[in-house]
Amino acid sequence: MNKMKPLACGLDTETTGLHVDKGDRVIEICCKVFDVPKKKLLIDITKRFTNQGKEINRRAQAVHGISAADLIGKPKFATFAPALAKIFQVCKVGVAHNAEFDFKFLAHHMAEAGHPLPDDLIIFDTMGESMTASYDAKPPSLREFCWAMGVEYDTSEAHAADYDVEVMMDAFFVALERNHFETPKEWLP
């Protein structure tokens, strides 16, 4: 029996706003594919996309720093959907901090592009799974999660998709080593 490698895709999105149901768009994505047991980075992709005429909410722009001018000439998200679909064919686990937000946008955009997310995709939320990492058992911010796992977090770099995935996955691997998370059965030999 040919067993798949235990691969995970750590990802983060930056968007025009908070409401995919009101037309907000993904304008940046970072996907980092790891061989989990080896903690080896296999694929590292960061892309920006057009906002397709959707205004970037001022509060969203204040967080991620991406302006409409930064997106001039960028492709539509749909151009990246086939590559992301291939990633999810080999990575049965998607890891994100506040995964409900990221995967709500991804599910919408991928379906819109004709590449729905696989039904068997396991979504692992480092925020929801790390409640014990905060002193008051609330969902920790990415900064709090990193702090609890001893991973340096630079607030001046924060909220760029590539930086957030990098530190999230560093903290994720520390949490796995400490048995803070239950290892998804799909990753076990």
Side-chain angles (χ1 to χ4, degrees):
M1 178 156 108
N2 186 9
K3 194 155 183 148
M4 289 182 64
K5 277 188 175 184
L7 302 178
C9 177
L11 61 85
D12 186 39
T13 62
E14 302 303 337
T15 64
T16 59
L18 301 175
H19 307 286
V20 70
D21 56 330
K22 294 182 180 176
D24 281 318
R25 307 296 305 173
V26 170
I27 54 175
E28 184 175 68
I29 190 168
C30 177
C31 301
K32 294 181 186 273
V33 176
F34 288 87
D35 178 319
V36 175
K38 294 179 181 177
K39 299 180 212 162
K40 182 178 179 183
L41 179 63
L42 304 174
I43 298 171
D44 186 351
I45 301 170
T46 301
K47 298 271 186 195
R48 283 195 175 168
F49 310 104
T50 178
N51 53 342
Q52 294 186 234
K54 178 68 177 176
E55 185 177 333
I56 300 173
N57 179 290
R58 283 182 289 141
R59 289 189 295 199
Q61 186 172 342
V63 170
H64 53 57
I66 302 169
S67 70
D70 296 325
L71 305 175
I72 294 172
K74 299 296 180 194
K76 291 182 178 183
F77 179 90
T79 63
F80 182 62
L84 190 56
K86 287 180 182 177
I87 288 171
F88 286 131
Q89 286 174 358
V90 295
C91 295
K92 294 301 181 190
V93 179
V95 180
H97 197 78
N98 192 7
E100 181 180 347
F101 177 82
D102 293 298
F103 279 94
K104 180 172 53 172
F105 272 87
L106 286 179
H108 175 82
H109 285 25
M110 292 294 286
E112 182 180 73
H115 295 278
L117 293 176
D119 291 336
D120 62 345
L121 179 65
I122 296 162
I123 298 171
F124 192 91
D125 184 2
T126 58
M127 183 174 79
E129 295 291 333
S130 61
M131 301 279 269
T132 58
S134 66
Y135 68 92
D136 59 359
K138 72 166 184 62
S141 66
L142 182 54
R143 181 176 139 291
E144 292 166 333
F145 174 50
C146 289
W147 178 83
M149 296 302 122
V151 171
E152 187 175 330
Y153 183 86
D154 183 347
T155 54
S156 69
E157 297 288 327
H159 304 295
D162 58 342
Y163 179 78
D164 286 358
V165 174
E166 179 182 329
V167 295
M168 174 193 68
M169 292 305 290
D170 287 349
F172 171 79
F173 284 120
V174 170
L176 279 180
E177 286 174 6
R178 293 180 182 173
N179 293 317
H180 182 74
F181 297 143
E182 185 176 323
T183 303
K185 64 182 184 282
E186 293 71 20
W187 292 338
L188 298 175

